[in-house]
Amino acid sequence: MKILLASRNKGKLEELRRILADHPSIELVGLDDVDPYPEAPETAATFAGNAEAKALDALRYTGLPSIADDSGLAVDALNGMPGVLSARWSGTHGDDTANLELLLNQMGDVPDERRSAAFVCAVAFAQPNVETQIVFGRMPGRVIREPRGANGFGYDPIFVPDGHSETAAELSSEAKDAISHRGEALREFAKLLD
Ligand code: IMP
């Protein structure tokens, strides 16, 4: 069975291929492997809403069973923001450094005991004539005051996962995959296939 992951991110494709290694009948392809189609902006109020919209678009345009994910950082002291706006928090989509610096400045007066946050990921699986299935993953932790580490992306340098002293940007990619919101959601998706 061919399944489309509605993403151009090679890291996400590789990660899901590793997780699906014991499902040899599944051939996972990405957006670069199918004919281009118009990709709608992410405008939903929730991670699940964005993931579902992306997966349904992918199914509609390609006819393939399709997976899509949406993720971000939910900070308790900011009532769950940046949330679905994580990628464009500073106003420019994908400017990781500006996003992270704005968040640190906003949290300047937030004391250590109230700096809890969690990375959250929703993965939607859309198939023809079946209700879309949605699974979630979560990586709880806290936001520190100065960026540390050079691995990863996004808010990783200012996020220390619970049970660790390193930031997510100081962990190896294998160590991060094992505890990450995306890893957990993708493993939940793999269980759906069983
Ligand atoms: P997307 O779901 O891949 O589009 O990610 C949305 C945004 O959330 C990214 O641009 C990052 O700012 C943030 N984000 C999501 N997952 C991670 C992560 O594992 N580490 C750091 N930032 C993340």
Side-chain angles (χ1 to χ4, degrees):
M1 167 159 85
K2 202 188 245 192
I3 296 185
L4 171 65
L5 176 63
S7 172
R8 290 176 209 290
N9 184 320
K10 297 239 172 339
K12 285 186 190 175
L13 265 174
E14 292 307 317
E15 183 179 3
L16 187 52
R17 283 198 180 114
R18 284 196 298 275
I19 290 170
L20 295 178
D22 54 350
H23 292 79
S25 60
I26 291 175
E27 182 195 350
L28 190 70
V29 297
L31 283 181
D32 288 333
D33 305 310
V34 298
D35 288 340
Y37 61 81
E39 290 169 47
E42 296 178 9
T43 54
T46 60
F47 298 115
N50 279 329
E52 181 172 27
K54 276 190 280 184
L56 286 172
D57 260 4
L59 169 64
R60 186 176 317 124
Y61 284 110
T62 68
L64 294 171
S66 298
I67 312 163
D69 78 317
D70 192 39
S71 58
L73 181 65
V75 176
D76 294 328
L78 295 176
N79 293 328
M81 302 308 277
V84 290
L85 303 178
S86 292
R88 61 203 121 140
W89 192 233
S90 64
T92 311
H93 196 284
D95 188 339
D96 285 352
T97 307
N99 288 340
L100 165 164
E101 277 169 6
L102 177 58
L103 185 69
L104 282 184
N105 288 335
Q106 289 166 326
M107 294 181 66
D109 289 337
V110 177
D112 289 350
E113 63 275 18
R114 287 203 298 109
R115 297 183 72 90
S116 54
F119 278 114
V120 181
C121 177
V123 167
F125 183 36
Q127 303 176 78
N129 308 315
V130 178
E131 199 173 324
T132 306
Q133 292 162 291
I134 302 181
V135 289
F136 296 89
R138 200 168 167 274
M139 174 165 65
R142 65 195 167 81
V143 177
I144 56 170
R145 292 177 188 278
E146 294 284 339
R148 289 190 337 235
N151 301 331
F153 69 104
Y155 300 90
D156 280 341
I158 57 167
F159 183 83
V160 173
D162 281 352
H164 292 260
S165 50
E166 307 94 334
T167 66
E170 291 172 317
L171 295 175
S172 67
S173 32
E174 293 75 24
K176 187 184 157 195
D177 283 0
I179 57 166
S180 86
H181 48 309
R182 200 169 3 264
E184 185 174 81
L186 292 176
R187 285 188 292 275
E188 285 299 312
F189 160 71
K191 282 189 211 160
L192 292 181
L193 299 175
D194 300 333

